[in-house]
Amino acid sequence: DQQVKQNSPSLSVQEGRISILNCDYTNSMFDYFLWYKKYPAEGPTFLISISSIKDKNEDGRFTVFLNKSAKHLSLHIVPSQPGDSAVYFCAASVTVRMGGSEKLVFGKGTKLTVNP
Amino acid sequence: DTGVSQDPRHKITKRGQNVTFRCDPISEHNRLYWYRQTLGQGPEFLTYFQNEAQLEKSRLLSDRFSAERPKGSFSTLEIQRTEQGDSAMYLCASSLTRTGGDYGYTFGSGTRLTVV
């Protein structure tokens, strides 16, 4: 079963507008959530993260919101730029004792296209 | 040291052949991960090293797969008797032990394996 779900395979927005990418999870043990961006022929690049004890984290144009009761998080990009066009992956992990892998569970990704 | 390096970038092999991939992590990173990504999916965890010790393996890692990290530096992933289902992008990532706060792996660009 898929523990991290990104139900929108693609999203298209106009330059300057807000992009909102959504992610749902099922495992209540997840305590850290991350967003990665991936360009073709490159590995994923870490974008922003949020701890489960917070409900918002902001870094420049990127803001991640977490709603624990709904097991839902979203990534807001404002304003969107053509260079933001990429596949965005939501990921989650469970904190383990020191030395644990803290492996990430990824969603399937959402392809964002920002049109000039 | 500018990032995680993976070699080769592309590999085409015939079914039944053995292949080996190499990953050079960021030098000060003590953790190293292997993930696999197939078309339309997010990366899936395969295995994890803390220094030279392989501490966790996914059930996705069948007996035909073996990974090593001698001396806690570079790592190799070998697939024996390749099958068409092994065709995927193999991603390596490295990180420091998390001490709290934001974190994220640094991924390499991956090795794309095609089994014909």
Side-chain angles (χ1 to χ4, degrees), chain A residues 18-19 47-49 56-65 75-81 84, chain B residues 102:
Chain A
I18 184 172
S19 295
L47 200 57
I48 192 169
S49 65
K56 177 183 175 181
N57 188 26
E58 189 172 355
D59 183 2
R61 297 185 297 114
F62 302 92
T63 303
V64 56
F65 296 91
L75 175 68
H76 293 209
I77 306 174
V78 184
S80 301
Q81 300 173 353
D84 295 330
Chain B
D102 292 345

Side-chain angles (χ1 to χ4, degrees), chain B residues 34-38 42-47 57-66 77 79 85-86 90:
Chain B
W34 286 97
Y35 281 76
R36 180 174 70 184
Q37 185 179 15
T38 53
E44 295 175 292
F45 172 80
L46 292 179
T47 190
K57 293 195 297 184
S58 163
R59 57 180 173 78
L60 293 175
L61 218 64
S62 75
D63 291 344
R64 297 184 297 105
F65 288 71
S66 62
L77 178 68
I79 309 174
D86 298 331
Y90 290 84

Side-chain angles (χ1 to χ4, degrees), chain A residues 32 36 41 99 101-104, chain B residues 9 33 35 48 56 101 105:
Chain A
Y32 231 94
Y36 281 80
S101 70
E102 296 175 345
K103 64 189 176 190
L104 296 179
Chain B
R9 291 295 304 272
Y33 305 81
Y35 281 76
Y48 149 73
E56 187 171 349
Y105 303 167

Side-chain angles (χ1 to χ4, degrees), chain B residues 26-107:
Chain B
I26 293 174
S27 57
E28 62 266 28
H29 284 182
N30 59 339
R31 295 183 164 197
L32 187 145
Y33 305 81
W34 286 97
Y35 281 76
R36 180 174 70 184
Q37 185 179 15
T38 53
L39 197 63
Q41 302 294 319
E44 295 175 292
F45 172 80
L46 292 179
T47 190
Y48 149 73
F49 291 85
Q50 172 109 345
N51 300 312
E52 68 276 6
Q54 187 175 18
L55 297 183
E56 187 171 349
K57 293 195 297 184
S58 163
R59 57 180 173 78
L60 293 175
L61 218 64
S62 75
D63 291 344
R64 297 184 297 105
F65 288 71
S66 62
E68 295 181 342
R69 192 183 183 197
K71 301 177 184 177
S73 56
F74 71 93
S75 176
T76 58
L77 178 68
E78 180 183 17
I79 309 174
Q80 296 182 328
R81 305 181 303 281
T82 52
E83 302 173 354
Q84 285 189 321
D86 298 331
S87 295
M89 174 73 82
Y90 290 84
L91 293 162
C92 176
S94 69
S95 72
L96 282 169
T97 303
R98 177 154 63 105
T99 56
D102 292 345
Y103 83 110
Y105 303 167
T106 301
F107 278 91

Side-chain angles (χ1 to χ4, degrees), chain A residues 2 5 7 14 19 24 29-30 52 57 59 73 78 84 97:
Chain A
Q2 205 171 2
K5 300 178 183 179
N7 293 320
Q14 286 299 118
S19 295
D24 297 294
M29 297 298 290
F30 288 143
S52 61
N57 188 26
D59 183 2
L73 63 154
V78 184
D84 295 330
R97 65 183 183 280

Side-chain angles (χ1 to χ4, degrees), chain B residues 14-32:
Chain B
K14 290 184 178 179
R15 189 174 50 190
Q17 297 293 306
N18 299 344
V19 293
T20 300
F21 311 140
R22 177 180 170 122
C23 171
D24 288 274
I26 293 174
S27 57
E28 62 266 28
H29 284 182
N30 59 339
R31 295 183 164 197
L32 187 145

